[in-house]
């Protein structure tokens, strides 16, 4: 406190002394000039001395005040340089004592400390915001990757029909490019050429309802090239930021699978009903006593046995195919002579060919053809190929069974002079339940014989089964199986 009094009142006293001394000097000078007398030198010197002392006092006080101001400035600089942004008030009091400077520096210290706290809080908030932004960016990138990887076409448009986004599946379906969507800003009308889909999307844009809608659209009139699309639409957002999201799934394969399943059930039912009807009819004849002699009874029983065998083969095909696909079938692989298996298959199918006046040829290699295989399964595959050839060869045609060695494999093939297959049928003839429509009335079947043969040759025995065909001229089914060395040890399955 004394410093404040000293500096404040000291300045006033020194100024007063200086002004007083100067005033006395001027007063004395004026008085003696008016009186016409001579000013005593001593009086003038005293007045000037008083003024000089006052000026010196002013200079001393000014120097002292500047020194304290400098100390205060250095303290402020130290305060600003302090990492914590704080200064202990006790330190301020020890350095400056009390008074105005202490209060000023204390207030400065408090404000800097407050600013430092707010700065730390702002930095923490900024770090948290950056982390949230990074997490949002990662989620958006993950969502984009997921949407791009989806097989369904996903299309997003604004309320005016402008395409905002389309995943690769949508671009492929509608023939778009991501660059064109971003740069050109195409609308539904400009970009989507499929009229059925375009009309559905435009209709949903016009309606205000936001509920989810699902529709199935058939695209094209040709059954061979038509498509079935499932279109799911929903509006999200409100006002000018409302968008229409469309998810379009190609249901063509599923529809075809459903149709093939329906055809399979129908074919299996027919295949089962035919032998069962024959068995039932002949059993009724036997029960009614219509077979009066032994020869007739033998004929009836033989027919019943034949129909029962047919039914058994159908059931075996179904079960074997299901077991192979499920991987639960018991396979007993042993070194086998392929020609022996083929000879048995030929002998079983030959009566079917003879019933249609088909000439059956057997051209088996004279060499020993060893394979590591399951006899029953290989026999089943050969019977299925031969039966298929007999079914689709007209009366009077020819069916040939051959075998030979090709490199490190053995090959057997079944050639016929039947109706043949188109290029498209050759690609699909090994599909489950698939039957050539143009030939479906020619012979009954389930569409399982060839798929089962392919599974046996390829999945069980590590070979290949292929077909070469020409419409109206016939087909050749070629099975290739690795040949086994009799002297090599055989690993058990």
């Amino acid at each position: 406190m004394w410093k404040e009094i000293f500096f404040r009142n000291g300045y006033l006293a020194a100024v007063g002394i200086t002004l007083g001394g100067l005033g006395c000097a001027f007063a004395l000078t004026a008085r003696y000039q008016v009186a016409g007398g001579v000013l005593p030198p001593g009086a003038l010197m005293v007045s000037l001395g008083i003024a000089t002392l006052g000026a010196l006092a002013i200079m001393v006080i000014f120097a002292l005040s500047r020194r304290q101001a400098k100390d205060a400035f250095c303290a402020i600089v130290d305060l600003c340089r302090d990492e914590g942004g704080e200064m202990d008030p006790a330190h301020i009091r020890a350095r400056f004592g009390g008074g105005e400077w202490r209060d000023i520096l204390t207030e400065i210290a408090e404000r800097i400390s407050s600013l430092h706290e707010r700065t730390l809080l702002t930095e923490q908030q900024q770090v948290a915001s950056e982390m949230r932004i990074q997490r949002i960016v990662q989620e958006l990138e993950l969502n984009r990757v997921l949407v791009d990887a989806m097989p369904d076409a996903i299309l997003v448009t604004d309320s005016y029909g402008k395409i905002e986004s389309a995943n690769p599946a949508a671009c492929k379906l509608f023939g778009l490019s991501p660059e064109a969507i971003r740069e050109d800003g195409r609308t539904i009308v400009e970009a989507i050429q499929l009229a059925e889909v375009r009309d559905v999307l435009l209709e949903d844009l016009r309606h205000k309802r936001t509920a989810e809608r699902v529709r199935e659209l058939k695209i094209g009139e040709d059954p061979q090239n038509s498509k079935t699309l499932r279109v799911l639409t929903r509006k999200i957002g409100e006002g000018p930021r409302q968008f229409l999201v469309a998810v379009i799934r190609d249901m063509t394969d599923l529809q075809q699978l459903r149709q093939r399943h329906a055809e399979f059930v129908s074919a299996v039912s027919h295949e089962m009903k035919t032998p069962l009807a024959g068995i039932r009819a002949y059993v009724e004849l036997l029960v009614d006593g219509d077979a009066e002699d032994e020869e007739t009874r033998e004929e009836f029983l033989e027919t019943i046995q034949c129909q029962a065998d047919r039914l058994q083969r159908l059931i075996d095909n179904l079960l074997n195919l299901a077991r192979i696909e499920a991987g639960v079938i018991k396979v007993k692989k042993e070194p086998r002579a392929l020609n022996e298996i083929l000879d048995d298959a030929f002998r079983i199918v030959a009566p079917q060919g003879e019933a249609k006046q088909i000439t059956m040829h057997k051209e088996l290699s004279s060499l020993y053809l060893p394979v590591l295989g399951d006899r029953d399964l290989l026999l089943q595959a050969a019977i299925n190929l031969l039966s298929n050839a007999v079914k689709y060869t007209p009366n009077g045609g020819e069916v040939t069974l051959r075998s030979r060695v090709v490199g490190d494999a053995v090959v057997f093939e079944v050639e016929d002079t039947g109706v043949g297959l188109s290029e498209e049928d050759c690609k699909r003839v090994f599909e489950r339940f698939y039957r050539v429509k143009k030939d479906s009335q020619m012979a009954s079947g389930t569409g399982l014989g060839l798929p089962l043969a392919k599974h046996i040759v390829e999945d069980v025995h590590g070979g290949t089964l292929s077909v070469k065909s020409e419409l109206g001229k016939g087909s050749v089914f070629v099975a290739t199986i690795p040949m086994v060395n009799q002297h090599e040890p055989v690993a058990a399955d």
Side-chain angles (χ1 to χ4, degrees):
M1 185 63 67
W2 66 270
K3 290 182 179 181
E4 294 179 6
I5 297 173
F6 171 76
F7 286 123
R8 187 177 298 153
N9 297 334
Y11 267 119
L12 296 176
V15 170
I17 292 171
T18 302
L19 294 178
L22 291 175
C24 290
F26 283 119
L28 289 172
T29 302
R31 179 180 178 185
Y32 280 100
Q33 286 180 350
V34 171
V38 179
L39 178 67
L44 181 60
M45 291 300 293
V46 171
S47 299
L48 292 175
I50 293 171
T52 301
L53 289 174
L56 288 173
I58 291 174
M59 293 177 65
V60 171
I61 295 171
F62 179 73
L64 292 173
S65 64
R66 285 209 46 189
R67 179 179 176 182
Q68 189 164 12
K70 182 179 179 181
D71 289 343
F73 177 76
C74 291
I76 294 173
V77 172
D78 292 341
L79 197 62
C80 293
R81 289 177 178 175
D82 185 62
E83 292 183 358
E86 298 178 354
M87 180 174 281
D88 188 1
H91 174 68
I92 296 175
R93 285 193 295 271
R95 187 166 181 176
F96 296 98
E100 185 177 1
W101 284 110
R102 183 199 63 185
D103 297 337
I104 292 173
L105 291 178
T106 301
E107 183 178 355
I108 291 173
E110 291 175 353
R111 292 192 178 186
I112 290 178
S113 178
S114 177
L115 287 173
H116 180 68
E117 291 177 357
R118 288 201 295 269
T119 301
L120 290 178
L121 180 61
T122 302
E123 289 178 353
Q124 292 174 356
Q125 292 175 344
Q126 183 178 359
V127 171
S129 298
E130 290 176 353
M131 292 178 64
R132 284 196 298 271
I133 292 172
Q134 186 178 6
R135 187 163 56 250
I136 291 172
V137 170
Q138 292 175 348
E139 291 177 355
L140 290 175
E141 179 64 18
L142 178 60
N143 290 336
R144 185 191 66 79
V145 172
L146 292 176
V147 170
D148 287 350
M150 290 186 65
D152 297 340
I154 300 178
L155 199 69
V156 181
T157 72
D158 62 13
S159 55
Y160 300 100
K162 177 184 173 183
I163 299 176
E164 296 287 342
S165 177
N167 70 341
C171 293
K172 181 179 179 181
L173 178 63
F174 300 120
L176 304 175
S177 67
E179 294 77 12
I181 294 174
R182 287 194 299 267
E183 297 172 2
D184 301 343
R186 295 186 178 182
T187 63
I188 292 175
V189 177
E190 298 169 338
I192 299 180
Q193 303 301 319
L194 298 177
E196 296 86 351
V197 177
R198 182 178 64 241
D199 294 343
V200 165
L201 298 182
L202 291 175
E203 178 187 354
D204 289 345
L205 278 174
R206 287 193 295 267
H207 287 289
K208 295 182 178 180
R209 58 175 173 265
T210 59
E212 182 179 292
R213 302 186 67 190
V214 180
R215 280 152 293 183
E216 284 196 3
L217 306 176
K218 186 176 181 181
I219 311 298
E221 299 295 334
D222 184 5
Q224 298 294 332
N225 300 317
S226 63
K227 287 186 176 182
T228 302
L229 299 180
R230 180 178 181 267
V231 182
L232 183 150
T233 57
R234 184 170 186 175
K235 287 185 177 180
I236 58 175
E238 295 180 355
R241 298 301 297 169
Q242 188 176 65
F243 299 93
L244 177 68
V245 179
V247 180
I248 304 166
R249 174 174 296 180
D250 191 345
M251 304 289 288
T252 305
D253 292 341
L254 182 59
Q255 287 291 94
Q256 291 176 351
L257 182 60
R258 289 173 180 170
Q259 183 177 355
R260 288 200 296 271
H261 271 282
E263 293 173 353
F264 163 72
V265 172
S266 176
V268 168
S269 300
H270 176 74
E271 284 290 299
M272 286 185 172
K273 282 165 57 177
T274 301
L276 285 175
I279 293 173
R280 181 177 180 179
Y282 281 98
V283 168
E284 288 179 354
L285 290 175
L286 290 172
V287 171
D288 293 341
D290 292 339
E292 297 179 354
D293 55 84
E294 188 66 26
E295 183 179 352
T296 304
R297 283 194 295 272
E298 288 292 335
E299 181 182 350
F300 285 2
L301 291 172
E302 184 178 346
T303 302
I304 292 173
Q305 180 65 43
C306 180
Q307 296 299 326
D309 291 341
R310 178 181 175 184
L311 187 60
Q312 184 64 44
R313 284 195 299 271
L314 172 63
I315 295 173
D316 288 343
N317 278 343
L318 289 170
L319 292 177
N320 286 334
L321 184 60
R323 288 168 181 165
I324 291 174
E325 290 186 341
V328 297
I329 191 171
K330 293 182 180 179
V331 180
K332 298 179 181 178
K333 286 186 180 180
E334 296 178 357
R336 301 283 185 182
L338 181 63
N339 282 343
E340 293 180 3
I341 299 174
L342 297 179
D343 191 63
D344 289 343
F346 186 87
R347 179 171 46 80
I348 292 172
V349 180
Q352 300 178 26
E354 293 171 0
K356 295 180 64 175
Q357 293 81 45
I358 294 175
T359 303
M360 304 290 292
H361 299 284
K362 183 172 61 174
E363 301 175 3
L364 301 182
S365 172
S366 58
L367 300 175
Y368 178 73
L369 307 181
V371 295
L372 181 64
D374 184 299
R375 182 189 181 283
D376 293 337
L377 291 179
L378 287 176
L379 179 63
Q380 183 70 63
I383 290 174
N384 288 1
L385 293 176
L386 287 168
S387 297
N388 184 76
V390 171
K391 281 183 180 180
Y392 296 103
T393 298
N395 293 355
E398 297 182 1
V399 172
T400 303
L401 174 63
R402 299 188 184 93
S403 67
R404 63 183 184 275
V405 176
V406 178
D408 294 333
V410 295
V411 175
F412 74 90
E413 62 184 30
V414 177
E415 181 177 1
D416 63 61
T417 58
V419 293
L421 300 168
S422 66
E423 184 177 350
E424 178 65 22
D425 291 330
C426 286
K427 294 178 181 178
R428 303 187 57 190
V429 74
F430 293 111
E431 293 180 11
R432 286 181 59 181
F433 317 127
Y434 182 77
R435 298 194 65 206
V436 180
K437 293 184 177 180
K438 68 180 182 65
D439 303 325
S440 59
Q441 301 300 321
M442 188 174 182
S444 60
T446 60
L448 291 176
L450 294 179
L452 178 58
K454 191 173 183 67
H455 275 295
I456 292 172
V457 171
E458 296 187 353
D459 298 336
V460 178
H461 293 89
T464 60
L465 179 60
S466 59
V467 60
K468 296 179 290 184
S469 187
E470 187 175 350
L471 280 174
K473 293 186 177 181
S475 305
V476 181
F477 287 84
V478 182
T480 303
I481 301 174
M483 185 166 54
V484 65
N485 189 338
Q486 288 280 44
H487 301 291
E488 292 181 357
V490 177
D493 284 323

